[in-house]
Short mmCIF file of all heavy atoms in Angstrom, two decimals:
data_model
loop_
_atom_site.label_atom_id
_atom_site.label_comp_id
_atom_site.label_asym_id
_atom_site.label_seq_id
_atom_site.Cartn_x
_atom_site.Cartn_y
_atom_site.Cartn_z
N LEU A 1 -11.71 -0.57 14.47
CA LEU A 1 -12.13 0.55 13.64
C LEU A 1 -12.35 0.11 12.20
O LEU A 1 -12.88 0.86 11.39
CB LEU A 1 -11.09 1.67 13.68
CG LEU A 1 -10.83 2.27 15.06
CD1 LEU A 1 -9.68 3.27 14.99
CD2 LEU A 1 -12.08 2.92 15.62
N LEU A 2 -11.94 -1.11 11.90
CA LEU A 2 -12.09 -1.63 10.54
C LEU A 2 -13.48 -2.22 10.34
O LEU A 2 -14.10 -2.70 11.28
CB LEU A 2 -11.03 -2.70 10.28
CG LEU A 2 -9.60 -2.18 10.16
CD1 LEU A 2 -8.61 -3.34 10.15
CD2 LEU A 2 -9.44 -1.34 8.91
N PRO A 3 -13.97 -2.20 9.10
CA PRO A 3 -15.28 -2.80 8.82
C PRO A 3 -15.20 -4.32 8.86
O PRO A 3 -14.15 -4.90 9.15
CB PRO A 3 -15.59 -2.30 7.41
CG PRO A 3 -14.25 -2.15 6.78
CD PRO A 3 -13.34 -1.67 7.89
N SER A 4 -16.28 -4.96 8.49
CA SER A 4 -16.34 -6.42 8.48
C SER A 4 -15.33 -7.00 7.48
O SER A 4 -14.87 -6.29 6.58
CB SER A 4 -17.75 -6.88 8.09
OG SER A 4 -17.99 -6.56 6.73
N ASP A 5 -15.03 -8.26 7.64
CA ASP A 5 -14.13 -8.95 6.72
C ASP A 5 -14.64 -8.84 5.28
O ASP A 5 -13.88 -8.58 4.35
CB ASP A 5 -13.97 -10.42 7.10
CG ASP A 5 -13.20 -10.62 8.39
OD1 ASP A 5 -12.67 -9.62 8.94
OD2 ASP A 5 -13.13 -11.77 8.85
N ALA A 6 -15.94 -9.04 5.12
CA ALA A 6 -16.53 -8.98 3.77
C ALA A 6 -16.32 -7.61 3.15
O ALA A 6 -15.98 -7.50 1.96
CB ALA A 6 -18.01 -9.33 3.83
N GLU A 7 -16.49 -6.55 3.93
CA GLU A 7 -16.30 -5.19 3.41
C GLU A 7 -14.84 -4.94 3.06
O GLU A 7 -14.51 -4.32 2.04
CB GLU A 7 -16.79 -4.16 4.42
CG GLU A 7 -16.74 -2.74 3.92
CD GLU A 7 -17.62 -2.47 2.71
OE1 GLU A 7 -18.64 -3.16 2.53
OE2 GLU A 7 -17.27 -1.56 1.93
N LEU A 8 -13.93 -5.45 3.90
CA LEU A 8 -12.50 -5.31 3.61
C LEU A 8 -12.15 -5.99 2.29
O LEU A 8 -11.39 -5.45 1.48
CB LEU A 8 -11.66 -5.89 4.74
CG LEU A 8 -11.50 -5.03 5.97
CD1 LEU A 8 -10.72 -5.80 7.04
CD2 LEU A 8 -10.82 -3.72 5.64
N LEU A 9 -12.69 -7.17 2.08
CA LEU A 9 -12.42 -7.91 0.84
C LEU A 9 -12.95 -7.14 -0.38
O LEU A 9 -12.31 -7.10 -1.43
CB LEU A 9 -13.04 -9.30 0.90
CG LEU A 9 -12.36 -10.26 1.88
CD1 LEU A 9 -13.18 -11.52 2.04
CD2 LEU A 9 -10.95 -10.56 1.45
N LYS A 10 -14.11 -6.49 -0.22
CA LYS A 10 -14.66 -5.69 -1.32
C LYS A 10 -13.75 -4.51 -1.63
O LYS A 10 -13.52 -4.18 -2.80
CB LYS A 10 -16.06 -5.17 -0.96
CG LYS A 10 -17.13 -6.23 -0.99
CD LYS A 10 -18.47 -5.63 -0.59
CE LYS A 10 -19.52 -6.69 -0.38
NZ LYS A 10 -20.77 -6.13 0.13
N LEU A 11 -13.23 -3.86 -0.60
CA LEU A 11 -12.34 -2.71 -0.80
C LEU A 11 -11.06 -3.13 -1.51
O LEU A 11 -10.59 -2.44 -2.41
CB LEU A 11 -12.03 -2.04 0.54
CG LEU A 11 -13.21 -1.34 1.22
CD1 LEU A 11 -12.84 -0.93 2.64
CD2 LEU A 11 -13.65 -0.14 0.40
N GLU A 12 -10.52 -4.27 -1.09
CA GLU A 12 -9.29 -4.76 -1.73
C GLU A 12 -9.58 -5.14 -3.18
O GLU A 12 -8.79 -4.84 -4.08
CB GLU A 12 -8.71 -5.94 -0.96
CG GLU A 12 -7.35 -6.36 -1.50
CD GLU A 12 -6.77 -7.54 -0.75
OE1 GLU A 12 -7.47 -8.56 -0.60
OE2 GLU A 12 -5.61 -7.42 -0.32
N ALA A 13 -10.71 -5.79 -3.42
CA ALA A 13 -11.07 -6.17 -4.79
C ALA A 13 -11.29 -4.95 -5.67
O ALA A 13 -11.07 -4.99 -6.88
CB ALA A 13 -12.34 -7.03 -4.76
N ALA A 14 -11.69 -3.83 -5.05
CA ALA A 14 -11.88 -2.59 -5.80
C ALA A 14 -10.56 -1.91 -6.13
O ALA A 14 -10.53 -0.88 -6.81
CB ALA A 14 -12.78 -1.64 -5.02
N GLY A 15 -9.45 -2.47 -5.62
CA GLY A 15 -8.14 -1.96 -5.97
C GLY A 15 -7.48 -1.09 -4.92
O GLY A 15 -6.41 -0.54 -5.16
N LEU A 16 -8.09 -0.93 -3.76
CA LEU A 16 -7.48 -0.13 -2.71
C LEU A 16 -6.31 -0.90 -2.08
O LEU A 16 -6.41 -2.11 -1.86
CB LEU A 16 -8.49 0.23 -1.62
CG LEU A 16 -9.31 1.49 -1.83
CD1 LEU A 16 -10.30 1.31 -2.97
CD2 LEU A 16 -10.02 1.88 -0.56
N THR A 17 -5.23 -0.18 -1.79
CA THR A 17 -4.10 -0.79 -1.10
C THR A 17 -4.42 -0.86 0.39
O THR A 17 -5.34 -0.18 0.88
CB THR A 17 -2.81 0.02 -1.30
OG1 THR A 17 -2.97 1.30 -0.66
CG2 THR A 17 -2.48 0.21 -2.77
N HIS A 18 -3.63 -1.60 1.12
CA HIS A 18 -3.82 -1.68 2.57
C HIS A 18 -3.61 -0.31 3.19
O HIS A 18 -4.30 0.06 4.15
CB HIS A 18 -2.87 -2.71 3.18
CG HIS A 18 -3.25 -4.11 2.82
ND1 HIS A 18 -2.65 -5.19 3.39
CD2 HIS A 18 -4.17 -4.60 1.96
CE1 HIS A 18 -3.19 -6.30 2.89
NE2 HIS A 18 -4.10 -5.96 2.01
N ARG A 19 -2.68 0.46 2.67
CA ARG A 19 -2.43 1.81 3.17
C ARG A 19 -3.67 2.68 2.97
O ARG A 19 -4.09 3.40 3.88
CB ARG A 19 -1.23 2.43 2.47
CG ARG A 19 -0.88 3.83 3.00
CD ARG A 19 0.40 4.39 2.41
NE ARG A 19 1.50 3.47 2.37
CZ ARG A 19 2.26 3.10 3.42
NH1 ARG A 19 2.00 3.59 4.60
NH2 ARG A 19 3.25 2.25 3.27
N GLU A 20 -4.27 2.61 1.79
CA GLU A 20 -5.47 3.41 1.50
C GLU A 20 -6.64 2.99 2.39
O GLU A 20 -7.39 3.84 2.88
CB GLU A 20 -5.83 3.30 0.03
CG GLU A 20 -4.83 3.97 -0.89
CD GLU A 20 -5.01 3.60 -2.36
OE1 GLU A 20 -5.56 2.52 -2.67
OE2 GLU A 20 -4.58 4.41 -3.20
N ILE A 21 -6.79 1.70 2.59
CA ILE A 21 -7.86 1.22 3.48
C ILE A 21 -7.62 1.73 4.90
O ILE A 21 -8.53 2.22 5.57
CB ILE A 21 -7.97 -0.32 3.45
CG1 ILE A 21 -8.41 -0.80 2.06
CG2 ILE A 21 -8.94 -0.82 4.52
CD1 ILE A 21 -8.31 -2.30 1.85
N GLY A 22 -6.37 1.63 5.34
CA GLY A 22 -6.02 2.11 6.68
C GLY A 22 -6.32 3.59 6.86
O GLY A 22 -6.88 4.01 7.88
N GLU A 23 -5.96 4.39 5.85
CA GLU A 23 -6.24 5.83 5.92
C GLU A 23 -7.74 6.08 5.99
O GLU A 23 -8.19 6.95 6.74
CB GLU A 23 -5.63 6.54 4.72
CG GLU A 23 -4.11 6.61 4.78
CD GLU A 23 -3.48 7.11 3.49
OE1 GLU A 23 -4.20 7.37 2.49
OE2 GLU A 23 -2.23 7.24 3.48
N GLN A 24 -8.51 5.32 5.24
CA GLN A 24 -9.96 5.51 5.21
C GLN A 24 -10.58 5.25 6.59
O GLN A 24 -11.53 5.92 6.98
CB GLN A 24 -10.57 4.57 4.17
CG GLN A 24 -12.06 4.74 3.98
CD GLN A 24 -12.58 3.89 2.83
OE1 GLN A 24 -11.86 3.49 1.94
NE2 GLN A 24 -13.87 3.60 2.87
N PHE A 25 -10.01 4.29 7.34
CA PHE A 25 -10.58 3.92 8.64
C PHE A 25 -9.70 4.37 9.81
O PHE A 25 -9.91 3.95 10.95
CB PHE A 25 -10.84 2.41 8.68
CG PHE A 25 -11.91 2.00 7.72
CD1 PHE A 25 -11.59 1.51 6.47
CD2 PHE A 25 -13.26 2.15 8.05
CE1 PHE A 25 -12.57 1.16 5.56
CE2 PHE A 25 -14.25 1.80 7.16
CZ PHE A 25 -13.91 1.31 5.91
N GLU A 26 -8.72 5.22 9.51
CA GLU A 26 -7.84 5.80 10.53
C GLU A 26 -7.11 4.76 11.37
O GLU A 26 -7.05 4.84 12.59
CB GLU A 26 -8.62 6.79 11.40
CG GLU A 26 -9.18 7.95 10.61
CD GLU A 26 -9.97 8.93 11.45
OE1 GLU A 26 -10.28 8.63 12.63
OE2 GLU A 26 -10.29 10.01 10.92
N VAL A 27 -6.57 3.76 10.65
CA VAL A 27 -5.71 2.75 11.28
C VAL A 27 -4.46 2.61 10.42
O VAL A 27 -4.41 3.09 9.29
CB VAL A 27 -6.42 1.37 11.43
CG1 VAL A 27 -7.66 1.50 12.32
CG2 VAL A 27 -6.78 0.78 10.09
N SER A 28 -3.46 1.94 10.95
CA SER A 28 -2.22 1.76 10.20
C SER A 28 -2.38 0.74 9.08
O SER A 28 -3.28 -0.11 9.12
CB SER A 28 -1.10 1.31 11.14
OG SER A 28 -1.36 -0.01 11.60
N ARG A 29 -1.48 0.80 8.11
CA ARG A 29 -1.43 -0.20 7.05
C ARG A 29 -1.19 -1.57 7.66
O ARG A 29 -1.77 -2.58 7.26
CB ARG A 29 -0.32 0.12 6.04
CG ARG A 29 -0.23 -0.96 4.95
CD ARG A 29 1.14 -1.10 4.33
NE ARG A 29 2.25 -1.15 5.23
CZ ARG A 29 2.75 -2.27 5.79
NH1 ARG A 29 2.17 -3.44 5.58
NH2 ARG A 29 3.81 -2.22 6.56
N GLN A 30 -0.36 -1.62 8.70
CA GLN A 30 -0.04 -2.89 9.35
C GLN A 30 -1.28 -3.51 9.99
O GLN A 30 -1.44 -4.74 9.96
CB GLN A 30 1.05 -2.69 10.42
CG GLN A 30 2.39 -2.32 9.85
CD GLN A 30 2.59 -0.83 9.63
OE1 GLN A 30 1.64 -0.04 9.65
NE2 GLN A 30 3.83 -0.42 9.41
N ALA A 31 -2.17 -2.67 10.54
CA ALA A 31 -3.40 -3.20 11.14
C ALA A 31 -4.28 -3.84 10.06
O ALA A 31 -4.88 -4.90 10.30
CB ALA A 31 -4.16 -2.08 11.85
N VAL A 32 -4.33 -3.22 8.90
CA VAL A 32 -5.12 -3.77 7.80
C VAL A 32 -4.51 -5.09 7.34
O VAL A 32 -5.20 -6.10 7.16
CB VAL A 32 -5.23 -2.77 6.64
CG1 VAL A 32 -5.97 -3.39 5.45
CG2 VAL A 32 -5.93 -1.49 7.10
N THR A 33 -3.19 -5.10 7.14
CA THR A 33 -2.50 -6.31 6.70
C THR A 33 -2.69 -7.44 7.71
O THR A 33 -2.94 -8.58 7.33
CB THR A 33 -1.01 -6.02 6.48
OG1 THR A 33 -0.88 -5.03 5.45
CG2 THR A 33 -0.25 -7.28 6.05
N LEU A 34 -2.59 -7.11 9.00
CA LEU A 34 -2.79 -8.13 10.04
C LEU A 34 -4.19 -8.72 9.94
O LEU A 34 -4.37 -9.93 10.03
CB LEU A 34 -2.56 -7.52 11.42
CG LEU A 34 -2.79 -8.46 12.60
CD1 LEU A 34 -1.82 -9.64 12.55
CD2 LEU A 34 -2.63 -7.70 13.91
N ARG A 35 -5.17 -7.88 9.71
CA ARG A 35 -6.55 -8.36 9.59
C ARG A 35 -6.69 -9.32 8.41
O ARG A 35 -7.30 -10.37 8.52
CB ARG A 35 -7.48 -7.17 9.44
CG ARG A 35 -8.93 -7.51 9.31
CD ARG A 35 -9.56 -7.94 10.66
NE ARG A 35 -10.98 -7.97 10.48
CZ ARG A 35 -11.79 -6.93 10.62
NH1 ARG A 35 -11.32 -5.77 11.02
NH2 ARG A 35 -13.06 -7.06 10.38
N PHE A 36 -6.08 -8.95 7.26
CA PHE A 36 -6.14 -9.84 6.10
C PHE A 36 -5.39 -11.14 6.38
O PHE A 36 -5.85 -12.22 5.99
CB PHE A 36 -5.57 -9.15 4.86
CG PHE A 36 -6.57 -8.30 4.13
CD1 PHE A 36 -6.64 -6.94 4.38
CD2 PHE A 36 -7.43 -8.85 3.20
CE1 PHE A 36 -7.57 -6.15 3.71
CE2 PHE A 36 -8.36 -8.08 2.53
CZ PHE A 36 -8.43 -6.72 2.79
N ASN A 37 -4.25 -11.04 7.05
CA ASN A 37 -3.51 -12.26 7.40
C ASN A 37 -4.35 -13.16 8.28
O ASN A 37 -4.38 -14.38 8.10
CB ASN A 37 -2.20 -11.91 8.10
CG ASN A 37 -1.16 -11.39 7.17
OD1 ASN A 37 -1.23 -11.58 5.95
ND2 ASN A 37 -0.17 -10.69 7.71
N ASN A 38 -5.05 -12.57 9.24
CA ASN A 38 -5.89 -13.36 10.14
C ASN A 38 -7.07 -13.99 9.41
O ASN A 38 -7.55 -15.04 9.81
CB ASN A 38 -6.39 -12.50 11.31
CG ASN A 38 -5.29 -12.17 12.28
OD1 ASN A 38 -4.27 -12.86 12.35
ND2 ASN A 38 -5.46 -11.11 13.04
N MET A 39 -7.53 -13.33 8.35
CA MET A 39 -8.62 -13.90 7.55
C MET A 39 -8.12 -15.08 6.72
O MET A 39 -8.91 -15.91 6.29
CB MET A 39 -9.18 -12.85 6.57
CG MET A 39 -10.16 -11.90 7.16
SD MET A 39 -10.95 -10.95 5.85
CE MET A 39 -9.82 -9.58 5.68
N GLY A 40 -6.81 -15.11 6.45
CA GLY A 40 -6.26 -16.16 5.59
C GLY A 40 -6.69 -16.01 4.15
O GLY A 40 -6.78 -16.98 3.42
#
């Protein structure tokens, strides 16, 4: 349910927390954090 890695990086750079990103895409904060961890 999450966007591309590039879009996630843009959202984080814009100052959104993992929780806020998760809420935007209706996934948990942990799912967002896992995705960032997998991106390295």
Side-chain angles (χ1 to χ4, degrees):
L1 298 175
L2 290 170
S4 69
D5 291 353
E7 185 62 27
L8 281 176
L9 291 170
K10 287 178 189 174
L11 292 170
E12 187 180 52
L16 272 70
T17 65
H18 289 189
R19 182 174 315 284
E20 291 167 335
I21 294 170
E23 288 170 358
Q24 184 174 338
F25 294 96
E26 298 180 348
V27 299
S28 68
R29 178 207 47 88
Q30 293 87 345
V32 176
T33 299
L34 178 62
R35 180 75 168 274
F36 275 95
N37 285 341
N38 288 338
M39 279 190 272

